Amino acid sequence: MSDDSLTSWLKSGRYLPRFMRDFHDQKSLFKAMHETADIDGHEYARKVDWVTGQCYVIDIFLWFMARRGYTLQPARADQAFLDIHETIRVQNERRHAAETAALKSMFDKGPK
C-alpha cells in the first residue's frame, strides 16, 4: 500500500469496525462501555471520562495500530460473547429513560 493509499484509508475510517466508523456511534459505544464497566473499581480508569477515552482510543491508539497494519476484528474463539450492539442499545435506552424522567420531573414541578 502506498503512503497516499494508506493515508486515504486511514482518513476514511475503514480500519474501524463498521459500527465504530460514525462519530455518534462511537459516542454510544464509549458511553455504554463507561456505564457497564467497573470504572470506579479501577485505579486508572476512574480518572478517565468517556469522552477522553473515546478520543484516545479512536484518534490515537486505533489509528496508530492501523498505521502499522493492526485492526480490530471479531474474535474467532468459539465462546458465548455478549452482543456489542445489544449492549449499546440497552444502555442507550436506559440513558434516554433517565433523561426523560429528569425532564418530566422538572416539568411536573411547574414554573418557579
Side-chain angles (χ1 to χ4, degrees), residues 5-36:
S5 177
L6 177 58
T7 299
S8 176
W9 179 72
L10 288 166
K11 286 182 179 180
S12 75
R14 290 187 311 241
Y15 63 93
L16 295 169
R18 285 193 188 279
F19 75 95
M20 290 177 65
R21 292 180 188 170
D22 178 78
F23 174 73
H24 300 289
D25 293 339
Q26 291 171 11
K27 286 180 13 180
S28 293
L29 169 66
F30 278 82
K31 286 178 185 178
M33 182 172 57
H34 209 79
E35 293 163 350
T36 59

Side-chain angles (χ1 to χ4, degrees), residues 9-112:
W9 179 72
L10 288 166
K11 286 182 179 180
S12 75
R14 290 187 311 241
Y15 63 93
L16 295 169
R18 285 193 188 279
F19 75 95
M20 290 177 65
R21 292 180 188 170
D22 178 78
F23 174 73
H24 300 289
D25 293 339
Q26 291 171 11
K27 286 180 13 180
S28 293
L29 169 66
F30 278 82
K31 286 178 185 178
M33 182 172 57
H34 209 79
E35 293 163 350
T36 59
D38 180 19
I39 300 297
D40 291 331
H42 191 280
E43 182 180 351
Y44 300 110
R46 71 173 161 246
K47 299 174 186 174
V48 179
D49 62 29
W50 69 265
V51 174
T52 305
Q54 177 186 355
C55 292
Y56 185 83
V57 169
I58 300 293
D59 298 339
I60 305 296
F61 178 71
L62 292 177
W63 184 91
F64 176 90
M65 296 301 288
R67 180 83 172 89
R68 286 145 182 87
Y70 292 88
T71 59
L72 290 177
Q73 57 186 315
R76 294 182 182 99
D78 185 20
Q79 299 294 325
F81 294 107
L82 297 175
D83 184 321
I84 189 70
H85 305 289
E86 179 68 7
T87 299
I88 293 168
R89 184 191 66 74
V90 167
Q91 289 307 119
N92 281 343
E93 286 179 0
R94 286 182 181 164
R95 197 174 323 104
H96 292 147
E99 292 165 355
T100 299
L103 284 172
K104 185 177 180 332
S105 175
M106 286 173 42
F107 286 119
D108 287 348
K109 291 178 183 176
K112 289 185 176 183

